Amino acid sequence: MKAAIVALSLLAPLAVVATPAAAQQDPDERARIEELTRRLNGAPPAPQSTAPSRPAPAPAPQAAASQPLAGPVARQDPEERARIEELTRRLNGAPPRAEPGPVAPPRPTPTPAPRPVEPSPRPSTSAPAPVAVQPQSQRQSQPRPAQPAQEAPVRRSTTTQAPAATAAPATPRPAPSAPAPQGLSAAERASLSFRIDLPPGFELVEGRSGPGAHVYSARKAGKTYLMIYAGPSSQFPIYDGEQVTVGGRISVVTTEGPRRIAMEHLFQRSGEPAEIHVWLMAQDGADRDEAERIAQTVDPR
């Protein structure tokens, strides 16, 4: 009953606002609605008037709501109450209430079955079985099982080996000097195809030679003063100069101021060696003078 009164008190102001819209209602329907409103408010029924004119305007909802209730209000039928609420909504110009459709019951969510938890094995707390102690004599008599030989662990180096450094090109060492050539002895010089007089300190050394030919050099302290060729064909002349023939010897003579110097000599023979060629190696100074004097002593045998 209290809920109905509260609903009507809330709907009364809406009825005042909706008066212009209610003026368009049928007078009979409006009178019926006002009668139902009076009954909801607990007011006595309106007296029947004989005037055929328009019904009197309904009293203000605020005055009706401020009047105390005359007595206990009879319980309303739910269907009648719903009809009154629908008529009130129509007076207020509101759309009809939508009927709620059937609500599907919520589908129950299956609850997963709990997994069985296997108990973890606990370490045994029982005391270890006593070990039988054998007498020392039995322990000594029993052979000890042979242990497999363990291989020594191979230690592997974890460091990366650096590439071998490129060896720097070795500086070529000078070839060992050939042993100093040995000069011919007096007996060996006597067997030659020519004669020569060497001053003290000089020696005659035989050098490389071709087939049927021999080459010799007169040296002093490792320095060559003159050369002698004995063979079938020489390279005469080597120097440019005047060729002079004296006693079967051809000489090449050069002039230095008032002095004439014989730079080379050529001997020609009918036997072997066919030619003996002598030429100076020292070009100037006292060495050349010494070489010229030795060349003058060469004579075929």
Side-chain angles (χ1 to χ4, degrees), residues 106-110:
R107 183 177 298 177
T109 304

Side-chain angles (χ1 to χ4, degrees), residues 109-281:
T109 304
T111 304
R115 294 184 179 180
V117 180
E118 297 181 359
S120 58
R122 296 183 179 179
S124 177
T125 57
S126 59
V131 180
V133 180
Q134 297 181 357
Q136 185 176 3
S137 59
Q138 293 183 5
R139 284 185 294 175
Q140 293 179 357
S141 61
Q142 291 181 359
R144 181 175 298 176
Q147 296 181 356
Q150 296 181 358
E151 297 181 358
V154 179
R155 180 176 298 176
R156 297 182 180 179
S157 176
T158 57
T159 58
T160 305
Q161 296 182 356
T166 306
T171 304
R173 296 181 180 180
S177 59
Q182 299 294 328
L184 300 178
S185 62
E188 292 173 340
R189 287 201 306 266
S191 63
L192 298 178
S193 59
F194 57 89
R195 293 185 296 269
I196 185 173
D197 294 337
L198 294 176
F202 281 84
E203 57 184 358
L204 189 64
V205 179
E206 184 176 3
R208 296 180 180 180
S209 59
H214 298 275
V215 179
Y216 306 93
S217 59
R219 301 182 180 183
K220 180 182 179 181
K223 183 178 181 180
T224 302
Y225 282 72
L226 60 90
M227 299 288 294
I228 301 174
Y229 167 83
S233 177
S234 66
Q235 299 296 326
F236 182 86
I238 295 176
Y239 297 104
D240 295 332
E242 181 185 358
Q243 294 187 9
V244 180
T245 304
V246 177
R249 182 183 69 180
I250 303 173
S251 302
V252 176
V253 180
T254 60
T255 303
E256 290 185 0
R259 184 181 176 185
R260 293 168 61 87
I261 302 172
M263 297 297 296
E264 57 183 321
H265 306 281
L266 176 64
F267 299 93
Q268 292 180 335
R269 298 172 48 180
S270 58
E272 295 182 358
E275 294 183 353
I276 298 174
H277 183 200
V278 182
W279 69 95
L280 306 184
M281 294 296 294

